[in-house]
Amino acid sequence: MWFAGRLRHIDSHEYADSAKPILHNMADMARALNLSVLQADILLFLTVRETDERIKIALDHFSMSRYFSTRKMQSVMKIVFDVSASDMTEALNGENGLWGIGLLCPNTRHHGMELLEGIADMLHYEENALTELMDNFARQSVPPTLCREHFNHIDSMYKATMALLSAAARRNRNILIYGAPGTGKTEFVRHICLQMGLRLWEVETLDTNFNPLKPGNRLASYSLLQRILGRSNGNCILFDEVEGVFHPSFTQDYKAWINKSLESNIAPCFWLSNDISAMDPAFIRRFDLLIEMPSVPEQYKREQLNALISENTQDTLLDELCGHPALEIAHIRKSVDIVKTLPKGSTLGVVDILNSYIKANGHRPVNTKPDQDDETYDLGLINTNIDLTNLLQGLSNNHGQVCLYGPPGTGKTAFVRYLAKKLNKKLHCHQASTLLGSFVGETERNIAVAFEKAQRHNAILFIDEADSFLRKREWASQSWEVTQVNELLVQMEKFTGTLMLATNLIENLDSATMRRLPVKVKFDYLTPVQCHRMLTQLSSELDAPLRPLLSRFKFTPGDIHAVLKRLKLLCQPITYDNLLKGLEQDSDFLINRNKKPIGFIN
């Protein structure tokens, strides 16, 4: 055989000592992977071709173009090894072929066939290539940092996983775990393997230069690990961030390979994903168990924060942090670890770090001080077409879906915060920045997740700028504009909690949405009497007379608060006249709202 002859040639070569690692490594690799003689021939051929001038010259003679096709390379090796076409096909593409084992790079270009990146160098230069191969394509997992009680909220799934990985039923098991980042998916797997006494190996996501590995290379690495680790009954594999492997852009060319990977694995494997919306149902049905990982209960998040947040911190702040839709247990634990490493006297606190995560996800940062606007919110200073006291009472006894509409600054958002406080419920706020996605289907997924989290936490779901998502479908110019409206309507139908929508442009909302909203509350400009009352309260000049200016212009609570902030910044006294003067100055900017239509001019 060509392989044996090549070994004898190297042994008699004057550089035999430097070539010995490849001989030992080839023998170890062939034994570990149970390679046939022909497969070992191919492996050595592909390993030494770049350093052997005769092989390079031979390939140049065969090559009619810059790159070999895979078929051309197979024809060359068939001649070199003097084997039949069927033998060559079996060695490469058979049930235990080199492609399936994971030794060949799926993204081959150069000469039509290449070893998986890094294998040739390991065989050439490393004393123990098999050990280096394991270190290159996988890492042994670290012990978990979460305890069993942190997974009590998915106790039935925890027990089912333990039963599935019992020694008698362990082989050929695939478990898919999906959910938002930071919910504890990896910790769950590590804890399960620790309890079962399994050695957990994690498929690498980066190459030796810290560049992201392509999906094909990661799947090849996984196949290679299965071949090596499957020999022992005490190993388990963790394949994290599998979105790329199951993305249609990759699976369209490698569907058969993925199916085989899910059906023929020996060592049990956990497949982890943040999002499975793009995964083909044909793949999903091949998993033995699917686990949707919800957020860790708030009591455990609170335990992490209690030690670092001062005792005089209001409970509402802790409640808001622990129940925030953008914060998971991983964010809180990481923030706590960072604060512990900061030098004494540092002004950066755990809430600041958590707020950075919240802002990065497009949400409004959590206020570390009580919101004075919420504390002094007065329903009598809001001009609506419905009695808000009655609405508040109704929502305290029943869940409902309400649309708040009207000009900016009329108090819609402030009312929702006031409502959440009065009902003693968490508030999940969303707007365009937290729901609209850059890719097709991402907005729909974000909407579904927002509703699911609000349902699970029994929180009030508040969607601001609702016209961004619920525009009339007949105005749509793209299909995704229709599908995001459809998704929101479907979620509204299923949602059994309290939903509050706010918009400045109710006339733009889809008609189907309007039918689904039993209560529509118009927030209008303040009446002159309300405006006068608000000014007297802020200035403490309760006996000030009502001024004609308040009847000539339309003002909102937001307009008045803007003037109040300006007076404070300019260190001017908060008097009725100063407030009124500020409103008069701002009236020039508000002139459009105060114009009255003339004839047919709108």
Side-chain angles (χ1 to χ4, degrees):
M1 296 297 290
W2 187 88
F3 176 69
R6 182 62 190 163
L7 292 185
R8 285 194 298 271
H9 170 76
I10 294 178
D11 269 339
S12 62
H13 198 276
E14 59 180 313
Y15 300 111
D17 288 342
S18 63
K20 281 183 179 178
I22 194 173
L23 306 182
H24 296 301
N25 287 331
M26 283 297 306
D28 289 343
M29 187 80 76
R31 282 193 299 270
L33 301 178
N34 196 24
L35 301 180
S36 67
V37 175
L38 178 55
Q39 287 175 323
D41 283 350
I42 296 171
L43 185 59
L44 181 58
F45 180 83
L46 295 175
T47 301
V48 301
R49 69 176 177 173
E50 292 300 324
T51 57
D52 193 303
E53 285 298 323
R54 286 164 297 180
I55 296 178
K56 282 175 142 182
I57 293 171
L59 291 177
D60 288 340
H61 280 298
F62 275 99
S63 179
M64 300 296 294
S65 60
R66 184 178 177 187
Y67 297 112
F68 261 156
S69 67
T70 301
R71 181 175 296 180
K72 281 185 179 180
M73 179 58 91
Q74 290 186 34
S75 298
V76 170
M77 291 192 295
K78 180 168 66 76
I79 296 171
V80 171
F81 303 137
D82 191 22
V83 296
S84 66
S86 60
D87 288 341
M88 180 60 65
T89 300
E90 180 66 22
L92 292 171
N93 303 317
E95 184 176 350
N96 295 305
L98 293 179
W99 290 106
I101 292 173
L103 287 171
L104 300 182
C105 178
N107 305 307
T108 292
R109 280 181 58 85
H110 184 55
H111 289 320
M113 194 180 297
E114 286 186 348
L115 292 174
L116 194 62
E117 186 177 354
I119 289 181
D121 287 341
M122 292 177 209
L123 291 173
H124 262 300
Y125 307 115
E126 299 296 340
E127 291 295 332
N128 190 335
L130 208 55
T131 301
E132 286 295 323
L133 184 144
M134 289 294 297
D135 291 341
N136 196 56
F137 297 128
R139 60 184 183 275
Q140 196 154 6
S141 189
V142 298
T145 56
L146 295 182
C147 305
R148 172 64 177 89
E149 62 182 8
H150 290 121
F151 302 107
N152 285 341
H153 59 301
I154 52 168
D155 185 64
S156 59
M157 283 298 184
Y158 188 97
K159 291 176 180 177
T161 306
M162 294 282 282
L164 203 62
L165 293 182
S166 63
R170 184 175 299 161
R171 294 172 70 84
N172 193 228
R173 293 301 187 187
N174 290 289
I175 300 171
L176 174 64
I177 305 178
Y178 63 98
T183 50
K185 298 185 293 291
T186 303
E187 285 290 303
F188 176 83
V189 176
R190 289 171 178 170
H191 197 276
I192 287 283
C193 289
L194 180 66
Q195 295 301 308
M196 300 294 294
L198 296 172
R199 291 182 298 277
L200 181 62
W201 299 84
E202 301 183 21
V203 179
E204 281 287 3
T205 57
L206 305 174
D207 62 18
T208 52
N209 295 318
F210 301 102
N211 296 314
L213 287 169
K214 295 179 179 178
N217 287 23
R218 295 195 71 209
L219 191 57
S221 301
Y222 165 76
S223 300
L224 200 52
L225 290 172
Q226 277 288 352
R227 192 81 172 191
I228 298 172
L229 298 175
R231 296 179 299 167
S232 170
N233 197 35
N235 292 312
C236 185
I237 299 176
L238 169 60
F239 202 153
D240 199 358
E241 300 177 21
V242 298
E243 293 88 352
V245 172
F246 290 104
H247 195 275
S249 62
F250 177 74
T251 59
Q252 62 183 353
D253 295 324
Y254 298 100
K255 188 170 185 176
W257 186 19
I258 297 172
N259 285 338
K260 182 183 175 184
S261 299
L262 290 169
E263 293 171 347
S264 62
N265 62 305
I266 303 173
C269 181
F270 288 91
W271 306 71
L272 272 55
S273 176
N274 297 330
D275 178 23
I276 62 170
S277 60
M279 190 180 293
D280 191 319
F283 299 137
I284 293 178
R285 73 174 181 82
R286 285 174 163 82
F287 289 99
D288 299 291
L289 186 65
L290 291 90
I291 303 174
E292 183 179 10
M293 186 65 67
S295 292
V296 170
E298 293 175 20
Q299 66 187 84
Y300 301 119
K301 297 179 183 179
R302 199 179 185 102
E303 287 175 4
Q304 299 288 324
L305 292 172
N306 275 335
L308 288 179
I309 294 184
S310 60
E311 294 181 1
N312 59 357
T313 299
Q314 64 271 22
D315 286 338
T316 53
L317 173 59
L318 277 175
D319 289 340
E320 191 170 355
L321 287 171
C322 295
H324 200 285
L327 293 181
E328 300 294 350
I329 186 67
H331 301 118
I332 292 174
R333 290 175 63 85
K334 184 173 289 187
S335 300
V336 170
D337 289 341
I338 291 172
V339 169
K340 288 180 179 178
T341 64
L342 295 176
K344 289 185 177 180
S346 174
T347 58
L348 188 68
V350 67
V351 178
D352 301 314
I353 299 173
L354 291 174
N355 263 334
S356 68
Y357 290 125
I358 292 171
K359 289 172 65 178
N361 281 282
H363 291 266
R364 175 190 178 193
V366 172
N367 194 353
T368 56
K369 298 178 181 178
D371 196 323
Q372 293 182 355
D373 290 344
D374 293 347
E375 295 288 339
T376 59
Y377 194 79
D378 186 349
L379 295 180
L381 296 179
I382 303 297
N383 186 16
T384 60
N385 61 338
I386 289 177
D387 190 328
L388 294 181
T389 304
N390 291 340
L391 178 61
L392 188 66
Q393 181 62 37
L395 290 174
S396 65
N397 300 322
N398 307 279
H399 294 301
Q401 300 186 359
V402 181
C403 177
L404 313 179
Y405 68 97
T410 49
K412 299 183 292 294
T413 302
F415 173 70
V416 176
R417 292 202 300 267
Y418 175 81
L419 175 69
K421 183 177 179 181
K422 286 297 181 182
L423 298 185
N424 195 27
K425 285 192 173 184
K426 296 178 180 63
L427 178 62
H428 287 189
C429 298
H430 291 278
Q431 54 276 335
S433 59
T434 61
L435 293 179
L436 290 178
S438 305
F439 304 102
V440 175
E442 189 175 0
T443 298
E444 291 85 340
R445 180 180 66 84
N446 292 342
I447 290 171
V449 169
F451 274 88
E452 187 275 329
K453 284 188 174 182
Q455 188 79 67
R456 180 158 28 94
H457 291 117
N458 192 27
I460 295 174
L461 178 59
F462 175 45
I463 300 181
D464 203 359
E465 306 167 9
D467 47 279
S468 300
F469 317 98
L470 290 169
R471 292 176 75 249
K472 294 178 180 178
R473 281 172 285 186
E474 56 266 29
W475 294 355
S477 58
Q478 303 291 336
S479 60
W480 53 263
E481 295 178 282
V482 175
T483 57
Q484 71 182 30
V485 174
N486 292 342
E487 179 64 32
L488 194 45
L489 293 177
V490 169
Q491 294 297 333
M492 288 171 64
E493 288 282 356
K494 297 191 300 183
F495 190 58
T496 58
T498 298
L499 171 67
M500 308 295 289
L501 301 179
T503 177
N504 301 331
L505 304 168
I506 192 171
E507 63 276 9
N508 291 352
L509 294 190
D510 189 83
S511 58
T513 306
M514 302 305 293
R515 289 196 303 270
R516 285 169 170 79
L517 294 167
V519 179
K520 306 168 191 67
V521 185
K522 181 179 181 181
F523 281 67
D524 211 339
Y525 298 106
L526 294 172
T527 66
V529 173
Q530 286 177 317
C531 194
H532 171 69
R533 180 182 161 196
M534 191 170 183
L535 294 180
T536 57
Q537 287 184 359
L538 292 174
S539 64
S540 300
E541 298 178 24
L542 302 181
D543 56 349
L546 192 147
R547 308 296 170 85
L549 177 74
L550 301 181
S551 299
R552 290 187 1 239
F553 294 102
K554 298 176 181 178
F555 297 109
T556 68
D559 298 332
I560 296 175
H561 279 289
V563 173
L564 179 65
K565 291 177 181 177
R566 184 165 71 241
L567 293 178
K568 289 180 179 179
L569 286 174
L570 298 176
C571 298
Q572 296 181 4
I574 312 299
T575 65
Y576 188 101
D577 286 337
N578 281 345
L579 289 168
L580 194 66
K581 184 179 179 181
L583 289 175
E584 187 174 15
Q585 291 172 347
D586 287 351
S587 63
D588 292 338
F589 302 105
L590 309 175
I591 192 68
N592 289 332
R593 75 165 63 153
N594 296 296
K595 283 183 178 179
K596 294 182 179 180
I598 303 175
F600 61 86
I601 300 175
N602 206 339

